[in-house]
Amino acid sequence: MVFVTILSGLIPSFLMVILGGLVRKRLSENAWQGLDKLNFEILFPTLLFVAASGRPIALSQVASIAPLAWGILVAGLLFGYLARPFGPERFLDFAGCWQTAWRFNTALGFVAIGALSGGDAAIFAVVVGMAVPMANVFAVSGLSRDGQLGILGTLKRVALNPFLIASLGGVVVALTGVQIPGPVLAPLEMLAQAAIPVALISIGATMNWGALARLDRFTGILNGTKLMILPALVCIVALVAGASGPLVQVLIVFAALPTASAAHVLAAGFGADRKLVATLIAQTTLLSAATLPVWILIAQTLF
């Protein structure tokens, strides 16, 4: 019964993804790219800011969340590297795919948190705020291994990430207890409400729906790392430590998310194989329709 409830909570979002697939030819590729740009630069950063600033957060809470979120990313990086012998010969092409083992789809994350009984969007926003810079450092460092960017270039690209700026801005507001005036908060909330529907439709429109037929050892390791190994590790650590509660539940869901839908954009920017990365994005997104409800059920049942 609980599983059915969770699944019913996720079905509307997956229907939005299907809708995107059905209407993909109604807009040009440039239009879809513009929509992604709007979401990346404005809508989703606003959602992260509103969620993070929505209730007071203690500094100790931020300090405890950051190492846990980073630990999940490091695990993804290490386990994902096991796919290296089976991947592209050129390291740049591998690095473009490698990032899918630890990057995460924030849009589906908010959907999953909403389906989680007692899910805390504010905690998830803090997790995202702490994880975004590290995820980008890992990804950009791997893609720039041949020296395309120096240390300063890498730090600049990470520091200017809209998700990072918005998340940390929201955390600062929550830490200081500043109340955002109503006339300012209202338009922010309107933009935030538009973020998830736009993102889900765009995911469906740009997804390769035949990607599952292209599963092999290489993509299987990366998909398995992202969808199975990372949430399983969080569960094992929580059980050994005797931990439970909203933070553990959020971390399990965070670890179980499919990879970031914009990973192929970053890969293409460095000259990596964009099509292979897009295939991995589609695979994790499609497979998560089966795995994510299971991890949500485990999170709220055991923890």
Side-chain angles (χ1 to χ4, degrees):
M1 190 65 177
V2 176
F3 183 80
V4 173
T5 302
I6 293 172
L7 194 59
S8 64
L10 293 175
I11 284 176
S13 298
F14 285 115
L15 289 177
M16 293 288 283
V17 174
I18 293 173
L19 174 63
L22 294 175
V23 303
R24 66 193 307 171
K25 294 183 179 180
R26 303 287 292 181
L27 297 178
S28 67
E29 183 176 349
N30 287 338
W32 289 115
Q33 290 176 351
L35 200 60
D36 285 339
K37 186 75 171 177
L38 172 68
N39 220 1
F40 182 78
E41 297 286 350
I42 299 177
L43 299 183
F44 241 97
T46 305
L47 174 60
L48 290 170
F49 177 82
V50 170
S53 63
R55 68 173 179 81
I57 300 174
L59 184 60
S60 59
Q61 186 181 27
V62 175
S64 63
I65 288 175
L68 297 174
W70 296 340
I72 293 171
L73 300 181
V74 170
L77 182 147
L78 296 176
F79 279 99
Y81 196 77
L82 297 176
R84 180 68 183 108
F86 313 106
E89 181 178 349
R90 192 171 68 141
F91 186 83
L92 179 61
D93 292 331
F94 168 73
C97 299
W98 188 20
Q99 62 173 320
T100 65
W102 66 80
R103 296 188 66 183
F104 48 92
N105 190 312
T106 309
L108 290 179
F110 275 102
V111 171
I113 293 300
L116 179 66
S117 176
D120 195 321
I123 291 179
F124 180 71
V126 175
V127 171
V128 170
M130 298 299 101
V132 163
M134 190 64 71
N136 279 281
V137 166
F138 290 166
V140 173
S141 298
L143 287 163
S144 61
R145 198 181 76 163
D146 294 333
Q148 294 182 30
L149 285 179
I151 294 178
L152 291 179
T154 299
L155 292 176
K156 180 180 179 180
R157 177 166 291 199
V158 172
L160 295 179
N161 186 292
F163 281 27
L164 170 63
I165 295 172
S167 299
L168 294 184
V171 169
V172 169
V173 171
L175 287 172
T176 57
V178 173
Q179 295 293 321
I180 302 175
V184 176
L185 183 60
L188 292 178
E189 291 178 336
M190 292 173 66
L191 290 171
Q193 290 169 4
I196 292 177
V198 170
L200 294 175
I201 292 174
S202 181
I203 289 170
T206 56
M207 183 185 299
N208 176 2
W209 290 85
L212 290 182
R214 300 167 63 182
L215 273 171
D216 54 22
R217 186 180 299 184
F218 174 64
T219 58
I221 292 173
L222 293 174
N223 288 323
T225 295
K226 189 68 198 76
L227 301 178
M228 300 300 294
I229 292 177
L230 295 187
L233 282 175
V234 176
C235 289
I236 292 171
V237 171
L239 288 172
V240 171
S244 61
L247 176 57
V248 174
Q249 295 177 348
V250 168
L251 288 173
I252 292 172
V253 171
F254 169 73
L257 293 175
T259 197
S261 59
H264 67 289
V265 176
L266 184 62
F270 282 87
D273 186 339
R274 176 174 179 169
K275 291 184 178 179
L276 185 53
V277 181
T279 297
L280 280 159
I281 294 168
Q283 288 172 347
T284 60
T285 304
L286 291 169
L287 290 171
S288 71
T291 60
L292 191 53
V294 174
W295 288 116
I296 293 174
L297 176 63
I298 291 173
Q300 67 181 41
T301 302
L302 296 182
F303 302 98

